Amino acid sequence: MFRALSLSIGQLGDPAFLKVLAKSLLLTLVIFAVLAFGLYWLLVWFFAWLGWGDGSGMAAATAAILIALASGWLLFRVIAIAVIGLFTEEIVEAVERKHYPREAAMATKASRAAQVRIALASVGRAIGWNLLALPLYILLLFTVIGPAIAFFAVNALLLGRDLGELVAARHVPKASWRDWLASTRGRRLQIGIVAAGLFMVPVANLLAPVLGAAMAAHMLHRKEA
């Protein structure tokens, strides 16, 4: 796990990494800003409809901003992984070209449709499983740190699946997909734990999608990664 992270960090200066980082960050921030802005105005309208001020009062606006920011923080991971799914091919190609030339030669390039499908499945899983876990998050509120731990655990599992699939699309035949998921469960969990941790650290969370994709590539090709 740490070897995979070390190799991934060491390749951050690769032009392919920098290109994907720039594109994915820009697209992620644009989507993030649009959603946050839209949610803010939706909340302002909703508060006005409830009769809380006139819809432009300080209390309503402040509450809307806080809720929009909190929702945005929760959704950032979902958006970032979905976006990186559109550019994973470039990251994995760069990793394989440098570290695993034999595997790179045998890879089957994932179609754009396949990448979009995997990204959308990732979004669906993230929203669905976190909604299912919401009662647990609420139940653990009295423990203060409980919701954060539960949120971390759920999303570590999801990230391991998401990042693994993004890489496996190049190497694992559809017929072997289930077997691959079963055989890599432990390694994918390790990647998910590291990625979830990175997403919780300011600044590092901006690099988390790219590093996670690179780590997943190492995980697939290195038994000891």
Side-chain angles (χ1 to χ4, degrees):
M1 174 172 64
F2 295 110
R3 178 61 174 161
L5 178 59
S6 174
L7 289 171
S8 301
I9 292 174
Q11 202 173 346
L12 276 176
D14 188 309
F17 274 51
L18 295 176
K19 182 180 177 182
V20 170
L21 184 61
K23 291 190 296 186
S24 62
L25 270 179
L26 179 61
L27 184 54
T28 297
L29 292 176
V30 167
I31 294 173
F32 184 77
V34 169
L35 288 177
F37 186 75
L39 180 59
Y40 165 77
W41 284 110
L42 179 63
L43 288 168
V44 168
W45 171 84
F46 181 64
F47 291 148
W49 181 74
L50 289 177
W52 185 6
D54 59 1
S56 59
M58 183 61 72
T62 301
I65 289 173
L66 291 176
I67 294 173
L69 288 175
S71 300
W73 180 80
L74 292 172
L75 287 173
F76 179 78
R77 198 283 284 175
V78 177
I79 298 169
I81 290 298
V83 168
I84 201 65
L86 303 177
F87 306 115
T88 300
E89 192 78 18
E90 298 171 55
I91 290 292
V92 178
E93 279 183 359
V95 170
E96 291 179 347
R97 187 167 56 246
K98 180 175 182 178
H99 297 281
Y100 315 102
R102 185 173 65 87
E103 286 79 2
M106 296 187 297
T108 300
K109 187 171 183 177
S111 67
R112 179 62 70 183
Q115 294 175 49
V116 171
R117 186 170 61 251
I118 291 172
L120 291 177
S122 167
V123 172
R125 278 194 299 269
I127 294 175
W129 281 105
N130 278 288
L131 284 176
L132 284 175
L134 188 58
L136 176 62
Y137 298 157
I138 295 173
L139 185 64
L140 292 173
L141 278 175
F142 75 94
T143 66
V144 182
I145 197 173
I149 294 174
F151 182 80
F152 179 89
V154 169
N155 285 278
L157 288 168
L158 292 172
L159 281 167
R161 170 73 178 261
D162 295 341
L163 293 168
E165 284 192 355
L166 291 172
V167 179
R170 287 170 51 86
H171 295 279
V172 182
K174 201 67 177 176
S176 305
W177 200 261
R178 287 183 180 276
D179 291 337
W180 182 84
L181 287 173
S183 66
T184 59
R185 187 175 290 116
R187 282 182 287 155
R188 286 187 293 105
L189 177 58
Q190 293 178 55
I191 299 300
I193 289 172
V194 175
L198 289 172
F199 269 109
M200 298 183 75
V201 180
V203 181
N205 61 350
L206 301 177
L207 301 174
V210 170
L211 288 176
M215 288 174 64
H218 288 295
M219 174 209 72
L220 181 62
H221 299 307
R222 295 173 61 93
K223 296 295 185 183
E224 71 276 18

